[in-house]
Amino acid sequence: MALNYEPHILRLSDDILLQIMSFLKLQDILTVAQVCRRLEKISKDRTLWKEADLRSRFLTHAELEVAVKCFHRGTKVLASTGSVKLLSGKVQENTECLSPALFELVTQFTDLETLILEEHFINASILTYKCFPPTFKHLSMENCKLINVPVKESYFFNMASQTPNLESLNLNGCLWFEDHSMMAISKCPKLKILRLRGCAKVGTCAAYIFLSARFGFENIEVLDLRETAISDAEVRAFKSKPKLKRLYIDGRLHRRQDSDEIDRVTDRSINTPEEYAPHLEVLTLTNTEVSDVTLRHLAHSMPNLQLMDVRGSKVTEPGVIRLKTEFSLLRVVCDFPEWTVDSSLISPDWWIDRDFIFQDDVKRHPSSVSSSRDATAEPPRHERIEIIDVGPGMVRLRRIIDRPFFPLPVPPEVVPEPASRQPPQLQSPRPVDQELPRSPESLRSSSSGSSSPSPLDNIQNPRDPSV
């Protein structure tokens, strides 16, 4: 007997509807909540909003507010994406700025631990760092675009007291980030992970980096400085941190700049006998100027090193072979397929680029590099900042300029010719009747009627036989 029953989703129980919604994305759950009051009530269940990952598509400010109202104290993660890529090249200024009112709701309803803001427009004069929830431990502002950034102080000013539990900070691709902000970040007592890849302004003022590395970052374990403007001095400053385990350096930005005065990352950043990095486990030196000298120094300064990436550097194949012979357990990623480690053996947590991009040096192309350096070429000019301790908590900076040394040109050696080859230079005798040219004094004396002879008239011919 046939039953007069029409299947409908609303005929299902709330538990089954909740189970169905658990397989949907949060943006789709917000759409389903607009159907009726029953589905709206089910969509606000606490189990659906433990991790609010809203990065599948761009949400407007109004849609974000609707989602935030579904949060509760059990919500620990908020992730959203903005319209930087969506509106790239179409608008000049901020169009979807996050507001302080939105984060007031987040602070009111949640105890947030992870905040991920990717590709957002942020008006720094409206949404300051103080508007963020003080409870989070992980903050990511990757590829965010800030406008109206304060000039006199850092955007992260006083962040150590505002977010004392901060453990990781991701600022990859933030072109607005500058060196003076390193001072504010270095004071965070629990910061372990700092990612600054693609921050092109990092390294333009070394004094801030020296101070932050010397007096801060006490618990830093992972530091990503790839595609920044840092040089040897900055690398040495961070390498000496006692708890640093992973350090990522890439000199791609240096090779894009057509200048000889740029301080690059060379062997001096690692090959320093008085400095050691005993806890370093992962080291990336891609697109740098390091050579086999750095590989030979690893045995003494980095005994716990597990992985090293030297692609695009000046390391040679014999140097890699010698390194693998001395350290058989060390995994090396290099430009030589026979000696590089299998990519399947590299953990994804080590942040090693699978698709490596080699940046050729625009200034020193291989076809234009000569085998011998010109002796008369101008040496590079180096500047560094020396930190001098003055008192407790006080330092003084002294700028030191290594002026170039110009070698004096060596004159060519003059070889005297033999005497036999030099023809004798005979001086022809002056005829007696030939008168020597008179000096201006003698001419004046003769014109005045003086009878005194000119000094030139007393000169006698040395070849005259009568003398």
Side-chain angles (χ1 to χ4, degrees):
M1 180 178 178
L3 299 176
N4 295 328
Y5 177 78
E6 296 180 1
H8 195 278
I9 189 172
L10 294 179
R11 294 181 181 271
L12 301 175
S13 63
D14 292 350
D15 295 337
I16 296 178
L17 292 177
L18 180 61
Q19 183 68 20
I20 294 174
M21 287 187 181
S22 63
F23 294 99
L24 301 179
K25 297 180 180 179
L26 293 182
Q27 289 88 336
D28 298 331
I29 293 177
L30 295 175
T31 304
V32 171
Q34 301 177 6
V35 175
C36 62
R37 293 183 178 179
R38 182 187 175 192
L39 293 179
E40 180 184 4
K41 182 180 179 180
I42 298 174
S43 65
K44 295 181 179 180
D45 190 85
R46 299 171 63 91
T47 59
L48 300 176
W49 296 95
K50 291 183 178 180
E51 296 184 359
D53 191 351
L54 306 172
R55 290 177 293 180
S56 60
R57 67 179 180 89
F58 166 66
L59 297 180
T60 62
H61 187 274
E63 292 175 334
L64 280 175
E65 285 187 349
V66 173
V68 169
K69 292 180 180 179
C70 299
F71 292 178
H72 52 86
R73 291 299 175 186
T75 304
K76 301 298 182 183
V77 179
L78 171 59
S80 67
T81 183
S83 61
V84 171
K85 283 188 178 180
L86 183 63
L87 302 178
S88 177
K90 299 180 182 179
V91 293
Q92 299 295 331
E93 296 295 338
N94 185 3
T95 58
E96 46 93 14
C97 176
L98 300 175
S99 66
L102 178 65
F103 287 96
E104 288 180 4
L105 294 176
V106 174
T107 307
Q108 179 181 357
F109 295 133
T110 67
D111 293 329
L112 208 63
E113 294 183 357
T114 302
L115 177 61
I116 301 175
L117 303 175
E118 295 181 354
E119 302 174 3
H120 271 286
F121 283 103
I122 298 178
N123 193 336
S125 61
I126 298 177
L127 184 66
T128 62
Y129 189 79
K130 296 179 181 179
C131 299
F132 292 155
T135 57
F136 63 72
K137 300 179 180 179
H138 312 281
L139 174 62
S140 175
M141 300 177 65
E142 187 170 354
N143 295 323
C144 284
K145 182 178 180 181
L146 265 68
I147 60 175
N148 300 327
V149 181
V151 179
K152 295 184 179 180
E153 64 181 19
S154 171
Y155 180 75
F156 301 101
F157 177 73
N158 203 21
M159 72 178 305
S161 59
Q162 179 67 23
T163 53
N165 298 321
L166 185 64
E167 296 180 1
S168 67
L169 178 62
N170 183 4
L171 298 175
N172 289 345
C174 294
L175 302 178
W176 49 269
F177 184 83
E178 298 185 8
D179 289 332
H180 64 86
S181 296
M182 296 285 285
M183 295 293 296
I185 296 176
S186 65
K187 299 178 182 179
C188 295
K190 298 182 180 181
L191 186 64
K192 298 180 180 179
I193 301 175
L194 178 59
R195 305 181 67 176
L196 300 174
R197 183 172 187 174
C199 298
K201 295 183 179 180
V202 174
T204 55
C205 185
Y208 291 109
I209 297 183
F210 292 154
L211 291 174
S212 61
R214 180 161 184 172
F215 300 102
F217 296 113
E218 296 300 329
N219 296 312
I220 194 70
E221 296 181 0
V222 181
L223 183 60
D224 191 350
L225 296 173
R226 286 176 286 190
E227 302 179 37
T228 59
I230 64 169
S231 59
D232 290 332
E234 291 88 342
V235 175
R236 289 197 300 266
F238 281 113
K239 187 191 67 173
S240 60
K241 303 309 294 183
K243 297 184 180 180
L244 186 64
K245 295 182 179 180
R246 290 186 283 168
L247 179 60
Y248 301 88
I249 306 296
D250 185 277
R252 192 177 309 172
L253 183 64
H254 293 299
R255 294 185 174 181
R256 291 174 184 170
Q257 300 178 2
D258 189 7
S259 176
D260 288 334
E261 297 184 356
I262 299 176
D263 292 335
R264 303 168 183 259
V265 178
T266 62
D267 292 321
R268 292 180 297 177
S269 61
I270 305 297
N271 190 10
T272 49
E274 69 278 2
E275 297 177 358
Y276 299 92
H279 300 286
L280 202 61
E281 299 177 356
V282 179
L283 178 61
T284 298
L285 297 170
T286 55
N287 286 317
T288 58
E289 309 301 314
V290 298
S291 61
D292 297 343
V293 178
T294 298
L295 300 184
R296 292 193 293 268
H297 183 69
L298 295 178
H300 305 285
S301 62
M302 304 176 188
N304 294 324
L305 194 62
Q306 301 179 11
L307 176 66
M308 186 175 185
D309 190 355
V310 291
R311 289 175 293 181
S313 64
K314 294 184 177 181
V315 173
T316 62
E317 187 173 4
V320 176
I321 296 175
R322 188 183 304 108
L323 179 66
K324 295 288 292 183
T325 304
E326 297 177 359
F327 305 95
S328 58
L329 299 179
L330 178 61
R331 303 173 184 177
V332 181
V333 184
C334 57
D335 298 323
F336 313 105
E338 297 181 359
W339 301 100
T340 188
V341 66
D342 189 3
S343 59
S344 61
L345 301 177
I346 301 177
S347 174
D349 298 335
W350 284 354
W351 305 344
I352 300 299
D353 296 333
R354 301 297 177 91
D355 300 328
F356 176 71
I357 300 177
F358 174 74
Q359 180 65 42
D360 195 5
D361 198 327
V362 297
K363 194 65 177 178
R364 294 175 294 172
H365 196 272
S367 60
S368 62
V369 176
S370 59
S371 57
S372 61
R373 184 175 297 178
D374 188 4
T376 61
E378 180 181 349
R381 178 175 177 268
H382 299 284
E383 298 183 7
R384 64 181 187 271
I385 304 294
E386 182 179 1
I387 303 176
I388 305 174
D389 292 326
V390 178
M394 299 178 60
V395 296
R396 185 179 64 185
L397 302 181
R398 184 173 64 181
R399 185 181 182 186
I400 300 177
I401 300 177
D402 296 335
R403 301 190 180 277
F405 171 74
F406 298 94
L408 296 176
V410 181
E413 184 178 358
V414 179
V415 181
E417 297 183 1
S420 60
R421 295 184 181 182
Q422 296 181 357
Q425 299 179 358
L426 299 177
Q427 184 176 1
S428 58
R430 179 177 56 86
V432 179
D433 56 349
Q434 182 178 358
E435 183 179 1
L436 292 175
R438 295 180 178 272
S439 62
E441 290 80 7
S442 62
L443 292 176
R444 285 194 296 269
S445 60
S446 61
S447 60
S448 60
S450 174
S451 59
S452 60
S454 172
L456 296 177
D457 295 337
N458 298 329
I459 300 178
Q460 298 179 356
N461 188 6
R463 298 182 180 274
D464 193 351
S466 60
V467 178

